[in-house]
Amino acid sequence: MMHMTFYWGWDVTLLFDSWRTTTDQGGAYFGSLVAIIALAIAYQWLVAFRVERESVLVRSNSLQLKSLNGKDTSRVPMVFRHRVLVKGHLVNSLIYFVQVSIAYLLMLAVMSYNGGVFIAAMLGFAFGHFVFGLRRVVTGSEDAETGEVCH
């Protein structure tokens, strides 16, 4: 049965029919909560990793433009000036794909309306932000737009 309000219990189906726990499978339920926590931490790590990569990529591109022996770069075609940026942006876009996929899978898991799953996801997000969000602030790669989509 699909719940439409929050409930507490060990009977939960997460994402797939094969990922189902029942009352007599307490270990499977707690293992599922650990997996949810790990996915939320991985999401926060990916956010920090992608934002840090983007700031390094922009810095290296601007240094590369300055090293053109003082030539006027306004005449250099935009595609040539940003060739390195395009390759790096492609990699960052793939990282973003994985990041958003994890975010939506976690959102769907929380939509099981199981209280334990909700708390596990929030604990994972909070712990991941505590660990990796501080790294973004300390390294100076904290941007207004971090790509966080689901919370």
Side-chain angles (χ1 to χ4, degrees):
M1 170 175 70
M2 183 166 170
H3 294 271
M4 297 306 289
T5 59
F6 275 102
Y7 71 98
W8 297 95
W10 294 5
D11 295 325
V12 64
T13 301
L14 294 171
L15 304 176
F16 309 103
D17 284 334
S18 59
W19 191 354
R20 183 180 307 215
T21 64
T22 59
T23 304
D24 59 335
Q25 296 175 323
Y29 177 73
F30 288 109
S32 296
L33 296 182
V34 170
I36 296 294
I37 290 170
L39 272 175
I41 291 170
Y43 168 81
Q44 292 291 51
W45 176 79
L46 277 172
V47 169
F49 180 69
R50 184 182 54 80
V51 168
E52 190 173 315
R53 271 187 51 87
E54 285 174 353
S55 66
V56 167
L57 189 63
V58 168
R59 277 195 306 265
S60 70
N61 188 54
S62 66
L63 289 175
Q64 203 175 39
L65 288 176
K66 289 178 184 176
S67 69
L68 289 176
N69 297 329
K71 294 181 183 176
D72 181 19
T73 60
S74 62
R75 292 183 166 185
V76 178
M78 192 73 128
V79 175
F80 177 74
R81 284 190 289 165
H82 298 292
R83 186 177 61 200
V84 175
L85 256 180
V86 170
K87 183 180 175 185
H89 188 62
L90 178 63
V91 172
N92 279 357
S93 295
L94 293 173
I95 294 169
Y96 185 75
F97 172 81
V98 173
Q99 171 193 326
V100 171
S101 298
I102 291 172
Y104 277 102
L105 286 173
L106 286 167
M107 177 199 66
L108 290 171
V110 167
M111 287 179 64
S112 71
Y113 290 103
N114 181 275
V117 171
F118 174 77
I119 290 172
M122 297 308 111
L123 285 173
F125 282 132
F127 182 75
H129 180 74
F130 176 77
V131 173
F132 302 113
L134 183 61
R135 188 171 113 201
R136 285 195 319 250
V137 172
V138 168
T139 61
S141 61
E142 180 70 40
D143 288 342
E145 173 59 42
T146 59
E148 298 181 51
V149 294
C150 143
H151 59 281

